[in-house]
Amino acid sequence: MWRYAWRSFTYLQEVSLSTRFLIRGGYVFFPEEESLRRADVEIAEGRIKRIAETLPAEADIRIIEAQDKLLSPGLIDLHAHLREPGREDTETLESGAWAALAGGFTTICAMPNTQPPMDTREQAAFISKRSDELGLARILPVGAATKGRAGEEIAEYALLKEAGVVAVTDDGDWIYSSEVMRCALEYAGMLGLVVITHAEEPSLCEEGIMNESTVSAKLGLKVRPAVAEEAAIQRDIALASCTGSHLHVAHITTTRGVELVRQARVKGIKVTAEATPHHLLLTDEALLSFDANYKVYPPLRTEEDRKALLEALKDGTIQAIATDHAPHAIEEKEQELDLAPAGMIGLQTALSVLWEGLVEPEVIKPELLLRLLTTGPASVIGEKVELKEESPANLMVFDPAARWTFDAQNNRSLSQNSPWFGKKLKGKIEHVFLGERHFSF
Ligand SMILES: [Zn+2]
Ligand SMILES: [Zn+2]
């Protein structure tokens, strides 16, 4: 029964191997019709047994009261850095999968910029196998787009696909050679794999650490301008158009970048995009604090850009919200801004901060947020999300009113580089069901 409990923690959360559950009175998100309505849901033997307005509480059933809580299919993250192999001091597949579960994510895609980079069948197979062994959030490997992530020669996609990769990318770096990117798209396209681009033209970003704006002028810091993203997206769209293959733009951040994706989609070019919680909630003004937790690539942009991202969520230009969970050691993040590595963790806090920042002030509807975290990302990697009778119990329960502080006690990641670390948050994951396993937090 305790097999899945994480050894390193003394405050074990309950992990039980099934009895029957009745989740009562919650607002249930039905992904197919994208609606949210009150219902009782019964789970037995790892499957959804019954869904109805009210269900009887039979004798041997465990009841979870979910009035005013949300019941949804488990969330899917297209973009997480788990640091294994190479930097297991900052995150492992195991700790990352726990952080995911605690954030309501039941599927996460592991980015390949590990040490060594994940560019072979063996490495991808290791991730898939380890994911099965752990029995926590499912970890889907993403393969390196080029050998060694060097940007020169594409990796063996057919072999990577056999080992379970759902996409290829050199995330962290843009593939500089247009010829290599064209090959990547052609080869991936033949195999039905999506190519994810980290769209920053590096020659425009040399040594830059923040957005180019009045804030950077004030701080006197070197910049990674919006045009670096736009130039990169423009080339990648041109190559997606000529190959007919599926391009996915990771962590899109700029007004014009979004406009390029919008126009390409109108023309029928196969391009999708994701935005991160931090780019949807924060701007470059956060760096006035000199806190390296706000240093991310691509950088936080202006309020105008942030608003453009919100519009793009609403009109369907952006399909998914992805965390770009990027763990770093404290001593590295505590260096001055120039030296600190870029990135923040986000798996465990994503839904809480998005709910409080976007749904509560009615910037976006709860149904849209849930789509962007379930069916949206699923569609990018060709997966399906269901919540109906007889489908596997792959669910999470979220209490939008619960208050909690994200701190060393409840942080499941091995790193704590988040601007929300130590802060009071509203909205918390309480339960996750993964087939016959039940986790409560
Ligand atoms: Zn990236
Ligand atoms: Zn990334």
Side-chain angles (χ1 to χ4, degrees):
M1 169 167 190
W2 295 102
R3 196 181 134 210
Y4 297 101
W6 191 16
R7 296 175 304 279
S8 323
F9 280 99
T10 47
Y11 48 88
L12 290 173
Q13 58 285 313
E14 179 192 1
V15 183
S16 53
L17 281 171
S18 188
T19 44
R20 293 163 64 217
F21 291 89
L22 176 60
I23 307 169
R24 200 152 65 176
Y27 286 99
V28 181
F29 178 61
F30 293 94
E32 270 120 350
E33 59 210 64
E34 214 168 282
S35 69
L36 203 52
R37 59 173 198 273
R38 270 189 198 274
D40 286 0
V41 175
E42 184 186 324
I43 298 171
E45 284 142 18
R47 294 196 165 263
I48 294 172
K49 212 74 200 164
R50 285 189 287 181
I51 304 172
E53 238 171 84
T54 51
L55 286 168
E58 287 157 19
D60 58 342
I61 205 160
R62 183 160 158 209
I63 293 170
I64 291 177
E65 295 293 355
Q67 274 80 15
D68 300 323
K69 295 177 189 175
L70 209 78
L71 176 64
S72 157
L75 310 182
I76 300 173
D77 189 10
L78 291 175
H79 195 141
H81 297 273
L82 301 183
R83 308 297 189 216
E84 181 178 355
R87 283 305 302 267
E88 289 87 345
D89 58 317
T90 59
E91 201 78 288
T92 62
L93 296 170
E94 185 174 11
S95 63
W98 269 114
L101 280 185
F105 290 92
T106 52
T107 296
I108 54 176
C109 296
M111 289 286 126
N113 62 336
T114 48
Q115 300 164 6
M118 206 182 59
D119 61 359
T120 67
R121 168 166 52 186
E122 291 68 31
Q123 287 163 293
F126 165 73
I127 309 265
S128 302
K129 183 170 153 271
R130 188 80 186 113
S131 170
D132 288 347
E133 279 168 12
L134 289 168
L136 302 168
R138 186 171 58 132
I139 304 166
L140 300 174
V142 174
T146 67
K147 288 182 183 165
R149 293 182 63 257
E152 286 160 13
E153 198 186 337
I154 59 170
E156 300 277 7
Y157 298 170
L159 299 179
L160 287 170
K161 190 176 174 177
E162 271 174 33
V165 312
V166 292
V168 291
T169 185
D170 276 1
D171 182 47
D173 294 296
W174 188 57
I175 296 176
Y176 201 77
S177 159
S178 303
E179 172 56 16
V180 173
M181 184 60 168
R182 180 180 174 164
C183 283
L185 281 160
E186 267 171 1
Y187 191 8
M190 283 191 295
L191 296 163
L193 290 171
V194 52
V195 178
I196 303 173
T197 182
H198 174 117
E200 282 190 295
E201 214 290 13
S203 70
L204 292 166
C205 299
E206 272 173 37
E207 294 172 46
I209 61 166
M210 73 170 296
N211 184 47
E212 182 174 41
S213 68
T214 51
V215 184
S216 68
K218 196 183 284 178
L219 295 176
L221 293 170
K222 295 208 176 99
V223 297
R224 310 173 80 82
V227 69
E229 174 171 303
E230 294 149 10
I233 291 176
Q234 194 147 32
R235 185 209 67 177
D236 288 341
I237 285 174
L239 294 172
S241 173
C242 102
T243 57
S245 302
H246 181 176
L247 172 78
H248 179 71
V249 182
H251 41 51
I252 195 167
T253 64
T254 70
T255 307
R256 176 118 181 89
V258 157
E259 188 50 36
L260 288 165
V261 171
R262 183 178 287 124
Q263 286 166 4
R265 288 178 60 80
V266 168
K267 287 186 200 147
I269 299 167
K270 240 189 263 173
V271 51
T272 52
E274 72 193 26
T276 73
H278 43 279
H279 291 112
L280 291 165
L281 295 166
L282 304 168
T283 68
D284 56 3
E285 299 208 348
L287 275 165
L288 291 166
S289 66
F290 286 99
D291 179 348
N293 285 319
Y294 295 107
K295 180 182 173 185
V296 288
Y297 294 165
L300 299 174
R301 303 288 185 189
T302 65
E303 180 64 10
E304 184 204 333
D305 293 314
R306 192 181 78 86
K307 290 207 169 111
L309 294 182
L310 294 171
E311 282 313 304
L313 300 182
K314 291 183 207 165
D315 73 12
T317 301
I318 295 174
Q319 289 67 40
I321 295 177
T323 65
D324 198 1
H325 179 85
H328 291 292
I330 300 176
E331 61 275 16
E332 288 169 291
K333 266 295 189 188
E334 277 178 351
Q335 303 176 92
E336 54 192 282
L337 277 180
D338 277 352
L339 300 172
M344 65 172 78
I345 57 169
L347 282 167
Q348 204 173 331
T349 51
L351 186 57
S352 302
V353 297
L354 290 163
W355 194 274
E356 190 175 4
L358 299 182
V359 174
E360 283 203 342
E362 296 182 9
V363 176
I364 64 171
K365 291 201 160 70
E367 293 90 338
L368 174 58
L369 179 60
L370 290 168
R371 180 220 292 168
L372 290 160
L373 289 163
T374 58
T375 49
S379 71
V380 172
I381 51 170
E383 295 228 328
K384 217 170 161 234
V385 177
E386 288 183 331
L387 198 160
K388 57 186 186 196
E389 289 177 3
E390 283 313 312
S391 63
N394 180 5
L395 301 165
M396 62 89 178
V397 176
F398 175 75
D399 181 356
R403 287 170 193 282
W404 62 297
T405 302
F406 181 42
D407 60 19
Q409 284 303 300
N410 51 37
N411 178 19
R412 260 65 179 183
S413 171
L414 295 181
S415 296
Q416 59 178 49
N417 54 306
S418 157
W420 289 288
F421 193 78
K423 302 239 167 84
K424 261 219 155 58
L425 304 180
K426 204 176 153 205
K428 189 172 185 303
I429 300 293
E430 292 197 333
H431 301 273
V432 174
F433 293 88
L434 266 184
E436 299 207 342
R437 274 153 286 152
H438 164 237
F439 304 82
S440 58
F441 293 99

